[in-house]
Amino acid sequence: MMDRIVRFAGCLRRPGWVVICCAMVWAGTARADYRDSIAVLRIGMVETHVAATDPVKLEAIQLAFANALGIPVEIIKLGSYAALIDAHASGRVGYAIHSARSFAATQAACGCVRAFRIPVAADGSTGFRSVLVARDSVTVPVADLKVGYSDESSVSGWQIPHQAITAGSLDLPKLVRGGSVSAVIESYQAGEIDGFFGWLPDIPGDGGAGLERLFGGWNRTALESAEPLRIIWSSQRIPYGPHAANRSLPDDLVEALGAFLDKMATSAPGLLDIFEPAHSGGYVIPGPEEYQNIRGLVEAMPDRQSASSVP
């Protein structure tokens, strides 16, 4: 991946790159008039994004978007998702890379943003489901289970299950805080807990991810070495964090942005490696109600969250 990034960054400095980038843009861009009304496009990105701390990567992103769109582009680094929410809601940035929760919070704050693309993971998933899994041999009611979770900042491991418990759709088990996913898995292997909260990728058209993809397949060997698991409870689908635009941006600019993202995986894979380090499968267009399921989580928004963390 790094070789591809270096080659990509280098080609941005060659005169011919402008022609290549322009060829990638949606065919209607040449006729679009957003360039007459938008002096500069400001892209909001949390500073924990992999590219945010690397000047070469930031320059690569800015140049690629500027060349493709035909207008100046500036990346605005924000110290937290809370700061990103404020910047996007106030219009200080026109386009932002959100987590699912920060997008829902921005929409709740102002109703002024729209999701126009969702990243796709390498396995084809466009979201995830929070799940409660327990030892296959344990048959006691959920309320009697000793259930591990990582910590209170985890969306899949605490906040979504907690919301379900509060709503009455999931019984309250005996909760055991592990502090990390690794610690939870170790507790399960040692027989100290009956099960735990985790997440499974959600792939469109799939009948449901198997338990071999628990935590996206991470630490699979450790899980397979312990007693078999079964799913006790599953949440609704939670989409991955979207690329979103302020509603004040012209429609033709948002269409051009979407088209550029759509072609990135095949036409500029080096840029995709930089821009979307956690998802390498390209992008899809979200449905109109895609993020309704997580509106109840916005009150629990922490000041800081890793842009590349697992759900």
Side-chain angles (χ1 to χ4, degrees):
M1 180 183 293
M2 283 305 301
D3 289 343
R4 197 159 64 178
I5 290 172
V6 171
R7 290 197 302 271
F8 177 79
C11 75
L12 287 172
R13 296 180 173 84
R14 301 172 188 170
W17 173 248
V18 175
V19 176
I20 295 172
C21 270
C22 289
M24 293 168 56
V25 187
W26 172 61
T29 303
R31 299 187 300 274
D33 60 1
Y34 64 80
R35 289 170 294 179
D36 297 329
S37 59
I38 302 296
V40 58
L41 175 64
R42 293 181 173 86
I43 301 176
M45 178 187 295
V46 289
E47 63 182 13
T48 48
H49 189 287
V50 172
T53 57
D54 189 324
V56 174
K57 291 179 180 179
L58 283 181
E59 181 187 10
I61 294 171
Q62 288 187 158
L63 285 175
F65 273 84
N67 289 334
L69 299 172
I71 57 176
V73 170
E74 180 183 359
I75 294 177
I76 307 297
K77 295 190 293 183
L78 287 310
S80 66
Y81 274 110
L84 180 68
I85 292 166
D86 181 71
H88 210 182
S90 65
R92 286 186 288 117
V93 299
Y95 163 32
I97 308 166
H98 279 280
S99 69
R101 187 171 40 175
S102 70
F103 172 76
T106 308
Q107 185 68 355
C110 68
C112 61
V113 291
R114 52 175 166 166
F116 64 92
R117 289 297 185 277
I118 295 176
V120 181
D123 62 5
S125 64
T126 57
F128 67 95
R129 293 177 185 271
S130 176
V131 293
L132 169 57
V133 294
R135 296 179 192 279
D136 194 44
S137 61
V138 175
T139 58
V140 300
V142 170
D144 294 329
L145 291 174
K146 291 179 65 176
V147 174
Y149 71 97
S150 54
D151 60 49
E152 291 75 15
S153 68
S154 172
V155 175
S156 61
W158 172 259
Q159 293 176 13
I160 294 174
H162 184 260
Q163 186 180 35
I165 291 168
T166 302
S169 58
L170 176 64
D171 289 338
L172 175 65
K174 299 173 182 177
L175 296 170
V176 179
R177 188 181 191 277
S180 69
V181 173
S182 295
V184 169
I185 294 175
E186 289 174 4
S187 294
Y188 180 75
Q189 288 178 301
E192 298 169 353
I193 55 177
D194 300 312
F196 50 86
F197 288 114
W199 65 275
L200 285 169
D202 186 272
I203 302 173
D206 195 0
L211 286 173
E212 70 277 0
R213 294 204 293 242
L214 195 61
F215 298 115
W218 179 79
N219 223 335
R220 181 175 173 179
T221 301
L223 289 170
E224 289 180 340
S225 67
E227 186 176 337
L229 292 158
R230 62 189 173 95
I231 298 175
I232 302 294
W233 167 86
S234 175
S235 74
Q236 293 180 301
R237 173 181 176 272
I238 306 297
Y240 295 140
H243 290 244
N246 193 288
R247 292 188 183 276
S248 63
L249 291 186
D251 289 343
D252 55 356
L253 174 53
V254 177
E255 290 170 4
L257 280 167
F260 184 56
L261 292 179
D262 290 342
K263 296 178 181 179
M264 194 179 291
T266 55
S267 300
L271 178 61
L272 184 65
D273 291 340
I274 299 170
F275 199 50
E276 204 68 64
H279 303 100
S280 59
Y283 299 91
V284 293
I285 299 173
E289 304 298 324
E290 198 82 50
Y291 292 89
Q292 292 279 12
N293 293 342
I294 57 172
R295 287 188 174 181
L297 299 179
V298 299
E299 295 178 359
M301 172 68 70
D303 288 337
R304 194 179 186 88
Q305 175 185 343
S306 172
S308 60
S309 63
V310 296

